[in-house]
Amino acid sequence: MAELPKEYDAKGSAARWSQAWTDAGVFTADVADDRPPFSVVIPPPNVTGSLHMGHALNNTLQDVLVRYKRMDGYNTLWVPGTDHAGIATQWVVRRQLEAQGIDFRDLGREAFVEKVWTWKEEAGGTIVNQLKHLGVSCDWSRERFTLDPDLQKAVTEHFVRLYEEGLIYRGQRLINWDPLDQTALSDLEVEQDEGVKGELWSFAYPIRPEDGGGEIVVATTRPETMLGDTAVAVHPDDPRYRHLIGKTLKHPFVDREIPIIGDAILVDPEFGTGCVKVTPAHDPNDFEVGKRHKLPMINILTLDGKLNAEGGKFAGMDRFDARKAVKAAIAELGLDRGARDHVMNIPRSQRSGAIVEPMLSTQWFVRMKPLAGPARSAVEQGFTTFVPTQWENTYYAWLRDIRDWCISRQLWWGHRIPAWYAPDGTLYVARTFEEAVAKAGRDDLVQDPDVLDTWFSSALWPFSVFGWPAKTADLAKYYPTSVLVTGFDIIFFWVARMMFAGIHFTGSVPFADVYIHALVRDQHGDKMSKTKGNVVDPLTVIDQWGADAFRFTLVAFAAQGRDVLWDPARVEGYSKFTNKIWNALKFAFMNGEGYDPNGPMEDGPYELWIRARTGAAVQRVRDAIDGYRFNEAASEIYNFVWGEYCDWYLELSKTTIYDAEASEARKNAVRHALFDTMGAIVRLLHPIMPFLTEEIWSRLPGTPGGFVTTAPYPKASDYPSDATALADIARLQEAVTEVRRIRGEVQIPYSVKVELLVTDDRLYAALYRHRRALDELAGATLKQADTFPQASSLAVVQSVACAIPLPEQYLKAEIDRLGKEIAKVTDDLSQLDRKLGNKSFVERAPADVVEGFRSKRSAANARLAALQSSLDQLQAGA
RNA sequence: GGGCGGAUAGCUCAAUGGGAGAGCUACGGCUUUACACGCCGUCGGUUGCAGGUUCGAGUCCUGUUCCGCCCACCA
């Protein structure tokens, strides 16, 4: 038997096996392999990113599925890759340049993009390397980047086709403008800062003297926008103001006359003064009013958030300075009508944090309604299933109320919009410049300077990675993919968009299942964030406890529909699990000398038992993974390994190993069970703990060789059940546990052997076969007896009273124990009596349920009687 | 304003309508020859609250409180 290191070397194993797998190309999928495919595309992390807990959880769960399916005989492919992440990446490089005193704008577009590429080549591999530390089994030969030439082609195709179908249009709309990044944003990229304390400030617009004079009071949270007001609206049925509709106001600062209009949709007469200032170019509601009433739409802001020439004397001021200045100027004119506290939401850019301005702007949009419908019904009809299903409602709700998607971004890093303009402004959308020139019949065309929303390219990921629009073999084999594993935070950003893009362009849903996992939070349930300082770095955890323990922890935490509350104690605990397994292996090695997998074997009851238990565990683990109940899979393996294989089988195996009279065939059978069960364990566990299991597999005698990662996943049918052995060992376990409890409570150390006296012939005969086990596991010597000595402790096994003779010193403790036990059983019994005394229960409950309670009652009765008589006897003697 | 999720042992979490469990912690014992990163045992509960359905509710229904999240244009 080969030498086994004293401890498991997590780091060494990770390095060794990662390399070995790569060298052997075991994760490289063969498109010609005609076994059924199982394919997954990674949610591509930002190329700027570094691995955080969310990535770790996400990729561990994918790896569990992928490794499981690979072992289980599927042609398995996991496509890795990264996302170019427009805004985020542009910022990273922009800041680096700023640190060198360079303004990226001075560099010019081409040079800047060149810089970003250089940076990407140098630093973009960080997250990929970090993923490898986690042990993911991606097919790196198929790694993709969303700006790869092929994927650019796919994005262009996507855009052009949608444009040709009338599903993409260019138009002037009110969009979300980020004055810091100076780009438009989609609705999803804007977050609301909720419950901000602000003020609702009122001022008066004077009514023209020729319209009768007087004033009308309006309120606003953004005073500076009054510079863009082109109307004041009242409710058409409001008796207070009805008569003013059609009259005109004089703007106090700019040379403009403002009509009073009636609008029943905008105005709630109950709110504020019942009069609303209308700024169509800077408020979504007002924009609609502007369209309804054909009002002028006056943009008062520059792209960096200052007042433009329309701002009159406030022109050039920053928007927030202008706010104060406008208020002051109004007050000077005596038009200030006071302010009151007001709690409001402030829209901020998800990326930059800047306060977003609604701004009238010409941008590119995707018409969503026609695309959303099929995406919805595909899920409704079950072509794609969300796990847990509750997320389907979230998905439906978003698609139901969807609005058009603003896809143009005023950035330099990203997919350039395939649209060209002639000098006269005529627009040509084409796949290439040449195609545009051909369409235009001239070559003095200028390409649209904007790039596309990053998510516009991510939407194609499940098929662009396979070469779409080309009809590749990979596309035919691996698309649609089997499952998408992702977090709920990008159901709208990504999942929904992949759904409609996939359905629209390929005619089929991009994945059969969507498994939605939770967020990783800290121990207190708070979101991890750099500002809070509660971020846990996965690489630090891996470094300290090893990737196996880390992955096991993540999987054990991944209960459906629950957030993961990170608790460092759990990793420590599971690192002990790796140690436990290693030591079990060590035990097998120490006693495995002479093992011959093909030699004669004679199984004993314990071998039959562990085989049956293994089969049951295999089935439970398979069921759990099949149902995406990852935490259950982890806990089943944990309990089986620790609670059955180690706690029971290893101990029971000693009865043969240490038995000088046991035959070689018996010993060989035990060695086989030790190694074979370990072989089942490492295969069962491999998807969760890839390195430890590969390390063990490589050393395990009796395996066919090769990697565990390509070994077949255990099947329950390989481990036949055996009802006799199960019942037999259950009885033994009951006896051992009973003796141990008495030892524990009466405080008899194991150094003191006890006798277990049995009068019942059948029980004695049954336990006799296990007398060595009783000795080994409970320190009890089995003896047949006619009567029990007065000074003894009571052990009840299978409702039969047995006795453990006790030296004088333990009798007091035994009396206490019996008292407590009697109280417990009495209580127990009274509940059972109550239940079974209930006529309706006995009549209406299913027979097997009633029968179950009856047998529990008779067991409790027997136990109580035994306890009572034992106590009586002891007290009589005392 | 609408919607979703959660609330179970000190902590983190389980429990197809059939007597509420596990791990960790705590407490007691054990240097038993794989493992003290261990072994054996014990304590610990009005399942947020109030109703209802049912022979039977942590589980289903109604209401309610707290926590978290998502969506939404009230100036």
Side-chain angles (χ1 to χ4, degrees):
Chain A
M1 199 100 320
E3 198 56 26
L4 192 67
K6 196 168 180 319
E7 281 177 356
Y8 168 55
D9 170 19
K11 272 179 209 168
S13 280
R16 181 160 54 253
W17 295 113
S18 293
Q19 193 58 49
W21 291 328
T22 306
D23 292 347
V26 287
F27 305 139
T28 306
D30 175 7
V31 71
D33 173 352
D34 60 5
R35 292 176 304 166
F38 182 84
S39 57
V40 175
V41 293
I42 200 171
N46 287 0
V47 68
T48 55
S50 55
L51 196 75
H52 58 59
M53 281 300 212
H55 294 128
L57 173 66
N58 177 253
N59 288 290
T60 297
L61 296 182
Q62 287 175 83
D63 200 41
V64 169
L65 293 173
V66 165
R67 285 184 186 268
Y68 168 61
K69 290 291 183 177
R70 189 181 292 116
M71 292 175 76
D72 210 22
Y74 290 81
N75 176 346
T76 303
L77 168 61
W78 184 9
V79 182
T82 48
D83 193 294
H84 69 280
I87 301 184
T89 310
Q90 175 151 341
W91 257 111
V92 169
V93 178
R94 182 179 161 176
R95 257 193 231 107
Q96 282 183 348
L97 289 168
E98 276 165 9
Q100 301 166 38
I102 304 169
D103 186 327
F104 81 106
R105 293 182 203 87
D106 296 342
L107 223 51
R109 180 167 194 145
E110 220 167 296
F112 176 75
V113 169
E114 196 55 43
K115 286 264 183 215
V116 182
W117 274 108
T118 309
W119 176 87
K120 187 258 170 189
E121 298 308 330
E122 287 167 2
T126 303
I127 189 143
V128 167
N129 285 325
Q130 292 174 328
L131 278 173
K132 289 177 181 171
H133 279 289
L134 193 61
V136 294
S137 62
C138 298
D139 180 351
W140 295 104
S141 74
R142 284 179 169 85
E143 183 179 352
R144 295 287 184 270
F145 178 52
T146 49
L147 274 176
D148 282 345
D150 280 7
L151 279 78
Q152 296 219 33
K153 227 182 256 176
V155 169
T156 301
E157 186 69 21
H158 180 202
F159 186 96
V160 173
R161 280 204 212 166
L162 286 182
Y163 178 78
E164 286 169 351
E165 292 165 23
L167 292 171
I168 281 184
Y169 62 90
R170 188 164 184 267
Q172 197 185 43
R173 296 281 181 282
L174 204 69
I175 49 90
N176 306 293
W177 184 259
D178 178 338
L180 191 60
D181 283 343
Q182 298 196 29
T183 180
L185 301 173
S186 69
D187 295 342
L188 284 177
E189 290 164 295
V190 178
E191 284 175 346
Q192 302 293 332
D193 228 357
E194 286 184 35
V196 176
K197 279 182 194 161
E199 60 168 25
L200 187 63
W201 174 75
S202 301
F203 67 97
Y205 270 119
I207 298 170
R208 258 192 338 194
E210 54 267 52
D211 280 341
E215 62 178 38
I216 197 157
V217 177
V218 296
T220 181
T221 54
R222 297 187 298 157
E224 74 282 7
T225 61
M226 62 85 68
L227 295 166
D229 283 358
T230 55
V232 166
V234 298
H235 196 280
D237 302 330
D238 191 332
R240 293 173 296 176
Y241 306 116
R242 198 161 49 196
H243 63 286
L244 295 175
I245 295 173
K247 310 259 189 213
T248 302
L249 307 164
K250 175 81 184 78
H251 197 287
F253 302 128
V254 295
D255 182 22
R256 189 187 309 145
E257 299 203 319
I258 298 174
I260 298 174
I261 59 172
D263 194 286
I265 299 172
L266 179 72
V267 182
D268 172 6
E270 306 291 317
F271 188 89
T273 58
C275 308
V276 186
K277 62 188 277 302
V278 180
T279 322
H282 294 287
D283 182 280
N285 293 312
D286 295 3
F287 176 70
E288 295 302 320
V289 176
K291 283 200 290 190
R292 285 198 289 275
H293 296 268
K294 303 210 166 22
L295 298 171
M297 301 196 179
I298 300 172
N299 185 351
I300 60 164
L301 292 174
T302 62
L303 297 181
D304 59 352
K306 294 193 172 71
L307 275 289
N308 66 17
E310 295 286 350
K313 63 176 179 179
F314 303 98
M317 280 183 167
D318 177 79
R319 53 188 164 148
F320 302 111
D321 297 333
R323 180 168 298 175
K324 288 176 202 146
V326 165
K327 280 180 69 178
I330 288 277
E332 255 175 60
L333 294 173
L335 297 173
D336 190 330
R337 293 297 174 266
R340 63 175 173 82
D341 290 343
H342 184 69
V343 177
M344 55 190 189
N345 298 343
I346 294 185
R348 285 182 185 276
S349 160
Q350 188 190 48
R351 249 327 131 192
S352 72
I355 295 179
V356 164
E357 280 308 325
M359 187 114 74
L360 196 60
S361 177
T362 300
Q363 302 285 345
W364 291 89
F365 297 87
V366 177
R367 212 180 291 285
M368 287 306 305
K369 288 281 182 205
L371 293 166
R376 242 175 84 189
S377 56
V379 175
E380 281 165 350
Q381 291 168 32
F383 291 108
T384 294
T385 306
F386 280 70
V387 181
T389 49
Q390 76 202 43
W391 290 110
E392 289 176 5
N393 290 326
T394 308
Y395 172 83
Y396 294 145
W398 188 68
L399 287 173
R400 194 179 309 122
D401 302 324
I402 198 155
R403 292 186 300 168
D404 286 356
W405 174 18
C406 175
I407 50 172
S408 40
R409 297 289 178 275
Q410 288 64 53
L411 303 172
W412 286 347
W413 176 244
H415 296 271
R416 192 85 178 258
I417 291 179
W420 286 264
Y421 304 96
D424 67 356
T426 313
L427 170 70
Y428 300 97
V429 169
R431 284 167 184 79
T432 59
F433 176 68
E434 289 70 26
E435 200 180 305
V437 167
K439 278 188 183 174
R442 56 195 299 170
D443 64 1
D444 55 349
L445 304 177
V446 177
Q447 187 170 7
D448 192 302
D450 291 352
V451 300
L452 290 159
D453 183 355
T454 304
W455 296 105
F456 188 83
S457 60
S458 313
L460 315 181
W461 186 249
F463 45 98
S464 63
V465 296
F466 296 125
W468 183 92
K471 290 186 167 60
T472 65
D474 272 10
L475 188 66
K477 182 82 185 181
Y478 299 113
Y479 184 89
T481 65
S482 308
V483 59
L484 176 80
V485 178
T486 193
F488 62 80
D489 49 330
I490 51 175
I491 291 177
F492 305 148
F493 277 108
W494 195 42
V495 180
R497 285 163 177 171
M498 284 189 286
M499 285 294 286
F500 69 68
I503 293 166
H504 191 76
F505 287 108
T506 71
S508 68
V509 295
F511 12 74
D513 291 342
V514 177
Y515 177 80
I516 301 289
H517 63 250
L519 234 55
V520 182
R521 300 171 180 281
D522 72 5
Q523 281 160 286
H524 312 291
D526 290 330
K527 212 167 165 173
M528 290 186 181
S529 75
K530 280 181 192 156
T531 45
K532 278 185 206 150
N534 60 350
V535 175
V536 178
D537 178 5
L539 294 163
T540 310
V541 179
I542 291 173
D543 195 50
Q544 188 175 3
W545 303 110
D548 296 301
F550 178 49
R551 290 169 54 118
F552 196 92
T553 310
L554 289 169
V555 173
F557 265 129
Q560 281 181 21
R562 273 215 181 243
D563 280 342
V564 172
L565 271 58
W566 184 252
D567 180 357
R570 289 282 288 264
V571 206
E572 189 185 348
Y574 291 129
S575 80
K576 291 179 182 173
F577 182 48
T578 63
N579 184 60
K580 184 78 177 173
I581 296 172
W582 192 257
N583 278 301
L585 180 72
K586 218 158 73 183
F587 174 84
F589 268 69
M590 287 173 64
N591 300 293
E593 205 63 51
Y595 170 46
D596 177 2
N598 303 309
M601 286 180 206
E602 190 193 324
D603 284 331
Y606 309 142
E607 286 66 52
L608 299 174
W609 175 81
I610 191 63
R611 199 162 301 144
R613 300 301 299 169
T614 303
V618 165
Q619 194 54 53
R620 290 194 303 269
V621 172
R622 279 181 168 270
D623 289 347
I625 301 180
D626 288 339
Y628 299 106
R629 296 186 305 274
F630 295 99
N631 60 320
E632 200 177 304
S635 100
E636 289 294 354
I637 296 173
Y638 185 94
N639 291 334
F640 173 68
V641 172
W642 204 305
E644 304 203 64
Y645 181 67
C646 292
D647 285 350
W648 289 99
Y649 185 69
L650 256 54
E651 297 303 325
L652 290 170
S653 74
K654 293 175 183 172
T655 61
T656 308
I657 289 170
Y658 299 154
D659 182 357
E661 286 159 29
S663 70
E664 208 33 53
R666 278 290 297 122
K667 290 196 172 177
N668 198 40
V670 171
R671 289 169 192 143
H672 179 73
L674 285 171
F675 286 124
D676 187 58
T677 308
M678 180 58 82
I681 287 168
V682 293
R683 282 180 294 141
L684 212 51
L685 183 57
H686 177 72
I688 309 179
M689 289 188 167
F691 299 124
L692 171 76
T693 51
E694 197 66 89
E695 187 67 45
I696 293 177
W697 184 259
S698 74
R699 298 168 180 275
L700 212 55
T703 68
F707 293 113
V708 71
T709 201
T710 49
Y713 205 73
K715 290 188 174 63
S717 55
D718 299 339
Y719 305 91
S721 192
D722 185 320
T724 310
L726 289 173
D728 190 26
I729 306 311
R731 179 169 42 231
L732 168 64
Q733 288 177 317
E734 195 183 329
V736 169
T737 304
E738 183 76 355
V739 176
R740 282 173 173 172
R741 209 172 66 236
I742 290 163
R743 274 187 180 279
E745 288 184 36
V746 186
Q747 305 273 31
I748 309 169
Y750 275 76
S751 50
V752 177
K753 289 267 179 202
V754 297
E755 289 181 333
L756 179 62
L757 306 184
V758 181
T759 52
D760 183 271
D761 288 343
R762 284 179 57 195
L763 182 64
Y764 179 79
L767 290 178
Y768 183 76
R769 295 193 295 273
H770 303 298
R771 62 193 182 286
R772 292 190 67 100
L774 280 166
D775 185 35
E776 189 74 41
L777 275 67
T781 309
L782 183 70
K783 284 210 167 159
Q784 192 159 26
D786 296 326
T787 55
F788 298 145
Q790 187 268 334
S792 63
S793 174
L794 172 75
V796 182
V797 180
Q798 307 260 287
S799 291
V800 175
C802 310
I804 298 172
L806 288 183
E808 196 69 32
Q809 76 217 68
Y810 298 115
L811 290 179
K812 166 95 178 55
E814 171 65 4
I815 289 172
D816 289 349
R817 186 187 76 92
L818 290 172
K820 277 197 314 197
E821 190 91 17
I822 285 169
K824 220 192 291 180
V825 178
T826 306
D827 189 49
D828 191 23
L829 203 51
S830 75
Q831 280 182 47
L832 291 164
D833 281 337
R834 204 177 318 132
K835 189 116 190 161
L836 288 161
N838 182 342
K839 236 179 162 176
S840 322
F841 170 71
V842 177
E843 281 165 11
R844 300 199 192 194
D848 58 323
V849 172
V850 177
E851 199 36 56
F853 279 102
R854 285 212 172 106
S855 69
K856 276 170 187 164
R857 179 167 66 175
S858 65
N861 267 323
R863 190 172 185 89
L864 183 61
L867 288 163
Q868 194 58 59
S869 90
S870 180
L871 182 62
D872 291 346
Q873 221 183 104
L874 274 178
Q875 281 169 338

